[in-house]
Amino acid sequence: MPKKPITNLAYSDKELASFFYLADETFGIDFREWYNAGEWTDRYRCYSFTFYRNVISNVGMSRMTVMTDGTAREAYQIGTVMTDEIRQGQGLATRIFKHLFKQHDTDGLPYFLACDEIVEPFYEKQGFTAQSEPELFISVSGAAPPLEHVRVDAEQWRRFKLESLPYSPRLYTKDDMHIWMFHYYQGMDEDVYRFDDVHVIYMIERSRLNLYAVLSPRPVDMRDVVARLSFEGITEIVFKFTPDLDGVEQRPSRDGQWMFRMNDGQLFPEGCRFPYLSKA
């Protein structure tokens, strides 16, 4: 049985391959293309238990800057928490968390993560507390014409992040390009559309339109965006971020919740939604 977690900085080729395999088995996520493109930077560090050079349990951590109402705060977003199925229940992830906190609590930075309610008790044992996140939406009706579908490459996707104004001014992140690019390699580039010089990322789910981003180097009136996306048959637009828009309604989120481990204060403002494309 492993004695001490190692970091991805010490992975052998076999350990790296086993990390990819475990992530695919656990979450159905393929890290390989993102990794091969050089997007796994020092902003994302994994702590892993290995057994005969196979990763059997892992906790990932992304360092980023969280911007809330104009105030910047460095924080760690936890993700890729996984354990080989046959070794679950042995306390491996708990031991990794203890090691991780010992390494980084001296930084004085908050930790946060997204999870489903079923695993909330596990994270509570690690010192996290839950904060509910609302689903933000607006009811619409209209018959706006379809938007132009746009194919983008990795460099264009990167420029979206670098050149666009924050589309969620109350709550957004910086220094998280690795996560932004991860969503590109998971297929979000297939959902980019354009009107004028504005790019929007959305998916339609029956009568609801899930809006993930509004990308432009100039200020954009969110009312105009809503009007442009009020297609025939769409009855509501659901924002996967916190829009600067009056009349937005709230209801309980169906996407799980956030949990925080911090000494004081509150990282996310009440009633805000963390941008999906910054979610690890």
Side-chain angles (χ1 to χ4, degrees):
M1 189 54 65
K3 295 182 179 180
K4 184 179 179 180
I6 65 169
T7 75
N8 59 282
L9 302 176
Y11 281 174
S12 66
D13 289 345
K14 184 176 180 181
E15 286 160 344
L16 181 63
S18 70
F19 172 90
F20 293 150
Y21 176 81
L22 184 58
D24 194 8
E25 287 290 297
T26 304
F27 305 113
I29 295 174
D30 191 343
F31 278 78
R32 292 174 180 82
E33 190 174 7
W34 174 76
Y35 173 84
N36 291 333
E39 302 296 348
W40 188 331
T41 70
D42 59 3
R43 283 272 164 180
Y44 176 61
R45 178 171 293 188
C46 286
Y47 291 88
S48 305
F49 273 131
T50 62
F51 188 62
Y52 287 100
R53 295 197 176 277
N54 289 306
V55 172
I56 59 173
S57 188
N58 180 82
V59 176
M61 183 178 73
S62 290
R63 183 164 179 161
M64 62 186 59
T65 304
V66 178
M67 302 295 299
T68 57
D69 293 328
T71 299
R73 187 168 187 180
E74 290 285 302
Y76 293 119
Q77 184 179 177
I78 301 296
T80 333
V81 181
M82 55 187 182
T83 298
D84 189 324
E85 185 175 4
I86 65 172
R87 294 178 171 86
Q88 291 176 5
Q90 299 177 13
L92 297 180
T94 294
R95 289 169 59 189
I96 295 176
F97 268 113
K98 288 180 179 179
H99 176 80
L100 183 153
F101 294 147
K102 184 177 180 180
Q103 297 291 315
H104 295 284
D105 277 357
T106 55
D107 298 340
L109 303 184
Y111 305 84
F112 67 103
L113 58 87
C115 73
D116 296 325
E117 287 186 7
I118 193 172
V119 292
E120 181 181 332
F122 167 77
Y123 290 112
E124 288 178 341
K125 291 179 181 178
Q126 316 310 319
F128 289 83
T129 57
Q131 178 183 328
S132 60
E133 180 184 58
E135 183 169 83
L136 305 178
F137 70 99
I138 191 167
S139 298
V140 298
S141 62
L147 300 186
E148 176 189 359
H149 183 250
V150 180
R151 298 300 301 269
V152 299
D153 59 18
E155 185 54 35
Q156 176 64 54
W157 186 267
R158 186 185 304 277
R159 290 202 303 272
F160 284 154
K161 179 75 169 177
L162 294 173
E163 298 174 2
S164 297
L165 294 177
Y167 55 89
S168 183
R170 290 207 63 201
L171 176 59
Y172 65 98
T173 58
K174 299 166 60 177
D175 308 319
D176 62 339
M177 182 64 78
H178 63 293
I179 296 178
W180 177 261
M181 296 307 298
F182 182 80
H183 287 290
Y184 171 83
Y185 286 106
Q186 295 304 308
M188 291 296 292
D189 60 306
E190 297 291 333
D191 304 299
V192 181
Y193 300 83
R194 179 172 60 195
F195 65 88
D196 301 333
D197 61 345
V198 179
H199 290 83
V200 290
I201 303 174
Y202 68 79
M203 296 182 188
I204 293 176
E205 180 185 3
R206 297 182 180 175
S207 62
R208 68 186 255 161
L209 184 146
N210 296 307
L211 180 59
Y212 291 88
V214 178
L215 305 164
S216 174
R218 64 171 178 83
V220 178
D221 189 331
M222 198 62 67
R223 293 173 298 181
D224 185 33
V225 175
V226 168
R228 299 274 192 159
L229 297 180
S230 297
F231 307 132
E232 185 174 359
I234 298 298
T235 60
E236 63 181 28
I237 295 174
V238 178
F239 300 94
K240 299 295 187 176
F241 56 91
T242 307
D244 184 11
L245 180 67
D246 292 332
V248 174
E249 299 181 72
Q250 298 185 16
R251 62 191 172 204
S253 174
R254 61 182 190 177
D255 296 333
Q257 60 187 346
W258 290 95
M259 302 194 74
F260 302 85
R261 186 179 187 271
M262 52 197 301
N263 293 327
D264 55 67
Q266 185 169 304
L267 189 59
F268 296 175
E270 288 288 347
C272 285
R273 179 142 187 129
F274 188 78
Y276 178 91
L277 293 177
S278 295
K279 185 177 179 179

